[in-house]
Amino acid sequence: MKKWIYGSSFKRRIWLSLVLFTVTAILISGGTSYYIASAIMGRKMNSLNQMVVNKSAQALEEKLRKVRLAVLTFMSSEPFQDVISNSGSEGDASAYEHFKTNKLLQTPIFQMRLIEPAIQSIIIDTPGGEYYGASYERLTQFPLKDSELYKHMEGRKLPAWIQAHEDPFFSGNEKVVSLLLSPLSQKDVNVLVNVRESNLNNYLLADKDEGSGDFIVYNENGELAFTGQ
């Protein structure tokens, strides 16, 4: 190669130098442009992804706020207040009175679920027994006070959310996210509200672009709350 170059004419050497210079310039220019463009695109994609994450977080917080609002509306109803007022003396109530009270609760429970359809079921645990919605079959062999979820109530600041799990209290084994709370006026009354995980998934995925990936939600302790696909 070296012998061929030195054996070439001066004109050919000039032409070959110009070709090499042009190719080198194109390669350097192209590589630099690609690097700059990829860096800009990377920053824009990170910014867009962060925007999507923030928007999804705000949407989820708004959904959970609506759940809490629906529950608080239910807890301000007259039938629920009657349960609170009588919770200290319900140990002496007959089975019929307990059934009658639970029946009166069905209307505000239905209204609560109309306000927020994501709510699947509710259990109100009192010293005199449990009250719950009649839409799902209650598995009475699994009382709330003997459950792992009840242990989450003890020593925790309420209200509190419990990450996705199979519902052990109602038939169907549906995956739910639970809200645990206790009325300020009656600490020995506990309320468990189950929210369908599938409903939360559908809500967050409603505006998701195809192929944009799945999401993972963690709670404030860094524990996995639920995932969506």
Side-chain angles (χ1 to χ4, degrees), residues 4 8-17:
W4 177 82
S8 301
S9 64
F10 180 74
K11 182 178 180 180
R12 183 178 292 275
R13 293 180 187 180
I14 295 296
W15 176 82
L16 183 60
S17 298

Side-chain angles (χ1 to χ4, degrees), residues 36-195:
I36 294 174
S38 62
I40 294 174
M41 288 298 295
R43 286 196 296 269
K44 287 187 175 181
M45 285 299 297
N46 288 336
S47 176
L48 180 60
N49 289 337
Q50 187 61 49
M51 188 183 304
V52 171
V53 170
N54 292 339
K55 184 178 179 181
S56 298
Q58 291 173 0
L60 179 60
E61 178 57 35
E62 177 65 21
K63 186 70 170 178
L64 298 181
R65 188 190 68 81
K66 289 180 63 179
V67 171
R68 293 193 296 268
L69 178 61
V71 176
L72 291 176
T73 301
F74 162 75
M75 292 173 67
S76 65
S77 66
E78 185 176 346
F80 182 83
Q81 292 302 317
D82 290 341
V83 170
I84 295 298
S85 300
N86 300 325
S87 61
S89 59
E90 283 180 351
D92 300 327
S94 66
Y96 173 75
E97 290 173 332
H98 191 277
F99 170 80
K100 184 179 178 181
T101 302
N102 196 63
K103 187 176 180 180
L104 291 175
L105 282 170
Q106 299 311 306
T107 296
I109 288 175
F110 176 75
Q111 292 171 343
M112 175 186 66
R113 296 180 65 192
L114 280 181
I115 295 174
E116 182 45 68
I119 296 175
Q120 182 224 51
S121 54
I122 182 172
I123 298 176
I124 306 155
D125 180 72
T126 74
E130 291 184 352
Y131 300 91
Y132 44 86
S135 300
Y136 284 79
E137 180 187 357
R138 176 73 174 96
L139 303 177
T140 54
Q141 68 269 32
F142 301 111
L144 178 61
K145 282 188 175 180
D146 296 337
S147 68
E148 290 295 324
L149 288 181
Y150 187 81
K151 295 177 182 179
H152 280 281
M153 291 183 181
E154 300 177 329
R156 290 193 62 176
K157 184 179 179 181
L158 301 181
W161 288 95
I162 301 299
Q163 55 266 38
H165 58 278
E166 286 191 0
D167 183 8
F169 305 112
F170 294 89
S171 61
N173 295 323
E174 190 168 353
K175 290 204 71 174
V176 295
V177 177
S178 296
L179 172 63
L180 308 174
L181 63 163
S182 180
L184 294 176
S185 59
Q186 195 63 270
K187 293 299 183 180
D188 57 354
V189 175
N190 297 297
V191 180
L192 169 72
V193 180
N194 288 327
V195 179

Side-chain angles (χ1 to χ4, degrees), residues 42 97 169 202 214 229:
E97 290 173 332
F169 305 112
N202 293 337
D214 304 328
Q229 298 180 347

